[in-house]
Amino acid sequence: MNIGVLGTGMVGQTLSGKLASEGHEVVIGTRDVDRAIARTEPPRPGMQSFAAWHEENPEVRVGTFAEAAAHGEILVNATSGTGSLEALRAAGAQNLGDKILIDITNPLDFSRGAPPSLSVSNTDSLGEQIQRAFPEARVVKTLNTISAPVMVDPTGVGGGDHHIFVSGDDADAKAEVTRLLGEWFGWRARSVIDLGDITTARGAEMYVALWIRLMMGRGSPMFNIKIVW
Amino acid sequence: MNIGVLGTGMVGQTLSGKLASEGHEVVIGTRDVDRAIARTEPPRPGMQSFAAWHEENPEVRVGTFAEAAAHGEILVNATSGTGSLEALRAAGAQNLGDKILIDITNPLDFSRGAPPSLSVSNTDSLGEQIQRAFPEARVVKTLNTISAPVMVDPTGVGGGDHHIFVSGDDADAKAEVTRLLGEWFGWRARSVIDLGDITTARGAEMYVALWIRLMMGRGSPMFNIKIVW
């Protein structure tokens, strides 16, 4: 499958590498290809630089946001939350078309230091902003409630017995994303909870404020929540 | 133990009734005692009126916010989020003193209809506002992430294998509340996660935006989350 992944951070790297290793044709999109490939400093302590990652994952083609968006039958938005709308505008509405846009972003605002607050929340969400800016695209918010390694290997946490969410206005797109999460990463269909329309992305994004504190307390992002009843 | 519970809604009723049934001396506080006792309409469909509840729970004394606060060695804030600061001012800083104030409120704002948004979130929380307004009181935010019946009977959901949180600036107060949650309602100590200082109440309160959507999807508030790692 042709997949366009926007964003070269930890989420973009992890998903692109996993998808390419399964034989998908992946283009990872960035603002400035030459600059991205030349980037030898890690984005965060403990992570590898994009240059090092790129060398280890030569099967993932690096392109502009527009090239990645044009390439993909399915698109994954893994850009930083505060840069997402700009990245998607660079990708171009004509390249997004009415494709499924899997939106993994969180609107994290580090301008006041860590832990971050959210740049949009409560009465709006980044998922909604993206859907409003690109009304033809079929935005499905998902995976934003977990760390990248858990996204691509749910069984790595509690044997996979925990939940993620999908939010979006297009029921078929949510069903297709749920199917793809299973096919790509092994998510069981019963682990994927449909929260409702795209306004429910507020809940999924606001939960991240709790996730951050749990992560800080545990000293590890390798966890998730299970809904128990 | 002498316990003051502020608020006569579902949370106040459920906790007061449970605590009194275990032999504690409970005063439930409200703005206007006569009006509360005369209230024959249920606060929400499916709930009983305060008058009917009061008749079934005669061992819970009804008093003003100030009387309940003066009575309790430990105080429970179960008022509605938007009315909390006013209720606590009516209770009086001198009656709150340096007592432990278990804060169960959520700043739910229904002014735009349902589902509610939060009247404070992201860079502040109701827990913090209360702690700032009453700096001597030892505020511990907890139980706000679950429905009242689950608060007093954790085993009623998934055999009790799920988590709640405590947020607060006073480590001894959090430890004491964790102990009391076990003694009063059967919460296992390992089910109570200390998120950190009172600013972590933001995460616990913002999670409620997700909780509301999960509740709407399930059609029942009888669930909770378990942190899985």
Side-chain angles (χ1 to χ4, degrees):
Chain A
M1 190 176 216
N2 289 347
I3 303 169
V5 175
L6 309 180
T8 55
M10 182 162 172
V11 173
Q13 288 180 20
T14 305
L15 270 67
S16 295
K18 174 72 174 173
L19 291 167
S21 76
E22 288 177 358
H24 296 288
E25 294 287 326
V26 182
V27 175
I28 189 167
T30 185
R31 191 175 321 180
D32 182 328
V33 174
D34 292 340
R35 220 177 111 202
I37 291 175
R39 208 177 288 143
T40 53
E41 73 220 24
R44 267 186 270 169
M47 273 182 63
Q48 62 183 168
S49 70
F50 188 76
W53 178 86
H54 178 54
E55 204 160 307
E56 280 179 22
N57 294 270
E59 69 284 14
V60 176
R61 193 143 54 86
V62 184
T64 62
F65 286 130
E67 286 166 346
H71 166 80
E73 304 158 60
I74 295 264
L75 305 179
V76 176
N77 181 20
T79 56
S80 75
T82 45
S84 262
L85 285 165
E86 193 191 326
L88 290 166
R89 279 192 291 267
Q94 73 284 7
N95 291 322
L96 302 180
D98 64 355
K99 295 172 184 173
I100 289 175
L101 177 61
I102 300 175
D103 177 35
I104 311 186
T105 57
N106 282 306
L108 300 181
D109 176 3
F110 287 91
S111 65
R112 267 173 279 224
S117 58
L118 302 181
S119 60
V120 53
S121 71
N122 197 20
T123 56
D124 199 1
S125 64
L126 186 51
E128 289 165 88
Q129 290 184 331
I130 290 170
Q131 183 64 86
R132 284 200 302 273
F134 302 95
E136 300 301 313
R138 290 179 290 155
V139 176
V140 178
K141 184 106 215 172
T142 191
L143 293 177
N144 69 300
T145 55
I146 46 176
S147 182
V150 186
M151 294 179 194
V152 300
D153 181 18
T155 59
V157 163
D161 187 20
H162 44 85
H163 292 100
I164 53 172
F165 311 99
V166 287
S167 302
D169 291 340
D170 187 306
D172 291 342
K174 285 187 286 189
E176 174 66 0
V177 168
T178 301
R179 195 187 67 73
L180 289 170
L181 291 172
E183 187 181 300
W184 291 348
F185 309 132
W187 284 94
R188 295 182 282 220
R190 66 170 183 276
S191 289
V192 184
I193 295 177
D194 185 347
L195 289 177
D197 67 23
I198 193 65
T199 67
T200 64
R202 294 175 203 176
E205 293 178 10
M206 290 165 78
Y207 158 74
V208 172
L210 177 60
W211 184 91
I212 288 167
R213 294 304 192 144
L214 289 167
M215 187 267 288
M216 291 167 67
R218 294 196 55 73
S220 164
M222 298 303 291
F223 66 89
N224 192 14
I225 55 171
K226 174 185 176 181
I227 316 302
V228 177
W229 52 78
Chain B
M1 192 177 217
N2 288 348
I3 303 169
V5 175
L6 308 180
T8 56
M10 182 161 172
V11 173
Q13 288 180 20
T14 305
L15 270 67
S16 296
K18 173 73 174 171
L19 291 166
S21 75
E22 288 177 357
H24 296 287
E25 295 286 327
V26 182
V27 175
I28 189 167
T30 186
R31 191 174 320 177
D32 182 330
V33 174
D34 292 339
R35 220 176 111 200
I37 291 174
R39 208 177 288 145
T40 53
E41 73 220 25
R44 265 186 271 171
M47 272 183 65
Q48 62 183 169
S49 70
F50 189 75
W53 178 85
H54 177 55
E55 205 159 306
E56 280 179 22
N57 293 270
E59 70 283 16
V60 177
R61 192 143 54 87
V62 184
T64 62
F65 286 131
E67 286 166 346
H71 166 80
E73 303 158 62
I74 295 265
L75 304 180
V76 176
N77 181 20
T79 56
S80 74
T82 46
S84 261
L85 285 165
E86 193 191 324
L88 290 166
R89 279 191 292 265
Q94 74 285 4
N95 291 322
L96 303 180
D98 64 355
K99 295 173 185 173
I100 290 174
L101 177 61
I102 299 176
D103 177 35
I104 311 186
T105 57
N106 282 305
L108 300 181
D109 175 4
F110 286 90
S111 64
R112 267 172 281 224
S117 57
L118 302 181
S119 60
V120 53
S121 72
N122 197 21
T123 55
D124 199 1
S125 63
L126 186 52
E128 289 164 87
Q129 290 184 332
I130 290 170
Q131 184 64 85
R132 284 199 303 272
F134 301 95
E136 299 301 313
R138 290 179 291 155
V139 176
V140 178
K141 184 107 214 170
T142 191
L143 293 177
N144 68 300
T145 55
I146 46 175
S147 182
V150 186
M151 295 178 193
V152 299
D153 181 19
T155 58
V157 162
D161 187 20
H162 44 85
H163 292 99
I164 53 173
F165 311 100
V166 286
S167 302
D169 292 339
D170 188 306
D172 291 342
K174 285 188 286 190
E176 175 67 359
V177 168
T178 301
R179 195 186 67 72
L180 289 170
L181 290 173
E183 187 182 300
W184 291 348
F185 309 133
W187 285 94
R188 295 182 281 220
R190 68 170 182 277
S191 288
V192 184
I193 295 177
D194 185 349
L195 290 176
D197 67 23
I198 192 65
T199 68
T200 64
R202 295 175 202 176
E205 293 178 11
M206 290 166 78
Y207 158 74
V208 173
L210 177 59
W211 183 91
I212 288 167
R213 294 303 192 143
L214 290 167
M215 186 268 288
M216 289 167 67
R218 294 196 54 73
S220 164
M222 297 302 292
F223 67 89
N224 192 14
I225 54 172
K226 175 186 175 181
I227 316 301
V228 178
W229 52 79

